[in-house]
Amino acid sequence: MTHTDHTHTDRAGTDRGHTGRGNRTRAARRRVLRREVPSIVGLLADERDFATMRSYRSFAFDDHTAYLRQLDGLLRALASQGVHTTVALFDPEEFAAYCAETGLDPDTPASRSRFTAAIPASGATVAYTGQPIDTLLPQLINTAIRRATWEYVTTLLADLGACADCGQDIGRAAFDRASHILLRLLEEAGPGTHHLVCSVPAADEQLLAVLHADRDEGTPPSDSATPPDPATALGAGAFLDGAPALFDASEAAEFVTVLAAGVALDSAGGVVLRTTVPGTPDRLRGWRLAAGSLVPLTEGEVFSAYCTDADTGEPLSPEPGVEYRAGFDLRLDDTGTHH
């Protein structure tokens, strides 16, 4: 009896030991698996959107600052667990439309969760890499603006149709022309780090696109050089005059698309270029859009553009350590134009 009891006691202890180790093993495996499951966190970026969500009784927050602080803590906690997290811009209007289309009750956490999971398919997102919330917010807003600009301009170009004279697709021809212009800009800019901004006025808004590019040393531009094919050169960078020009493909596509809108609409607008080379002053240049081309600004026009307050017209002090130079001639031909 005692032996039996003793044997039973040993077995129970052994079983409990095995069970405990098994539970710990399963928990450890779940933690490992959890690190391989990405997370998506919806973020209400501004006070107005936050106020809209407060109309739902199931929404637990009443202060936007406290909400952002809690969300920052959540992101840091997920990162500490090795979880890859994507932050998605949560739009209350799109959420309401989504719930109406899917028949979901918008006043539930489950509905908000389902909508958040769907945002990456068509909305603005930013990967969380440990950046503070004050850095993450402008990143997310800028991504949303870029996406909205891209969608607006691509729709605009697609709706232009074919040229009545030559039959070419106007949007396609303008995109090819803009691609050629960008490659000529980078080719003539030479080595250095280049920051380009394209600005084009449209019916509903001012369109802006920014591109950062790096050029290594290469052979100088020549009149006989054959321009790269825009269809292949803008994928992940271009090889210009014996040297690579490195840039983000999505930035390049957005820049070309905005520039194409100006070309297709024969709009006002222009491009400014800032070139940085170690050990020398930054160089600022500019061009204005005219008849499907970029016309170089004079040194005085570049100085005036940078050193005049756009709102008041009052002069501004020149930026120290910067040279204001005339835009260079891009030597453009009729590539990508329609007649």
Side-chain angles (χ1 to χ4, degrees):
M1 176 70 175
T2 303
H3 177 73
T4 303
D5 290 342
H6 183 263
T7 302
H8 177 74
T9 302
D10 285 346
R11 281 182 175 176
T14 302
D15 289 344
R16 283 193 296 271
H18 282 308
T19 300
R21 285 193 296 272
N23 288 338
R24 287 194 296 272
T25 299
R26 285 191 293 273
R29 288 174 177 170
R30 280 195 298 271
R31 285 194 297 271
V32 171
L33 187 60
R34 179 69 185 94
R35 290 196 291 269
E36 299 185 20
V37 179
S39 289
I40 303 171
V41 175
L43 187 153
L44 293 161
D46 59 43
E47 292 276 4
R48 185 179 62 180
D49 288 346
F50 182 83
T52 299
M53 294 305 297
R54 286 192 62 195
S55 64
Y56 298 115
R57 289 182 298 176
S58 62
F59 187 73
F61 296 92
D62 56 12
D63 180 80
H64 190 235
T65 301
Y67 160 82
L68 291 177
R69 189 165 54 247
Q70 291 294 324
L71 190 138
D72 184 53
L74 170 63
L75 292 173
R76 287 188 280 108
L78 290 170
S80 70
Q81 299 168 23
V83 177
H84 174 76
T85 304
T86 297
V87 181
L89 187 65
F90 194 104
D91 187 312
E93 291 184 4
E94 293 181 1
F95 170 63
Y98 172 84
C99 290
E101 291 172 3
T102 56
L104 294 174
D105 178 3
D107 200 359
T108 67
S111 296
R112 292 193 289 273
S113 178
R114 286 185 59 177
F115 173 72
T116 299
I119 294 176
S122 59
T125 62
V126 169
Y128 178 71
T129 57
Q131 62 269 52
I133 199 72
D134 290 344
T135 301
L136 182 63
L137 272 175
Q139 286 179 337
L140 192 57
I141 293 170
N142 181 58
T143 299
I145 293 172
R146 287 174 55 191
R147 189 181 187 98
T149 299
W150 168 267
E151 292 174 351
Y152 174 86
V153 178
T154 51
T155 300
L156 183 153
L157 292 174
D159 289 344
L160 291 176
C163 175
D165 295 328
C166 67
Q168 280 187 289
D169 183 280
I170 297 174
R172 178 72 258 179
F175 189 89
D176 289 343
R177 177 68 166 174
S179 300
H180 180 60
I181 291 173
L182 173 58
L183 291 174
R184 292 297 298 146
L185 275 166
L186 294 175
E187 191 171 35
E188 293 291 337
T193 297
H194 305 294
H195 177 84
L196 299 100
V197 179
C198 180
S199 174
V200 173
D204 301 321
E205 58 184 305
Q206 185 77 14
L207 305 176
L208 287 172
V210 178
L211 176 65
H212 302 272
D214 290 297
R215 281 281 316 270
D216 290 334
E217 293 283 355
T219 59
S222 64
D223 292 333
S224 61
T226 302
D229 176 15
T232 58
L234 293 178
F239 198 76
L240 307 172
D241 293 320
L246 304 177
F247 45 75
D248 181 81
S250 61
E251 275 192 4
E254 291 163 7
F255 187 94
V256 166
T257 304
V258 170
L259 181 56
V263 169
L265 300 174
D266 195 14
S267 172
V271 171
V272 293
L273 166 66
R274 185 183 189 119
T275 298
T276 302
V277 177
T280 64
D282 282 8
R283 301 188 299 273
L284 297 178
R285 294 184 170 92
W287 296 259
R288 61 181 174 84
L289 267 168
S293 280
L294 286 183
V295 177
L297 298 179
T298 66
E299 184 176 315
E301 288 173 326
V302 173
F303 181 88
S304 178
Y306 276 99
C307 299
T308 302
D309 189 293
D311 295 324
T312 66
E314 294 295 318
L316 300 173
S317 299
E319 188 177 346
V322 170
E323 295 179 352
Y324 300 89
R325 295 189 179 183
F328 41 73
D329 185 1
L330 296 176
R331 299 175 293 160
L332 297 167
D333 55 25
D334 289 333
T335 300
T337 59
H338 64 89
H339 306 282

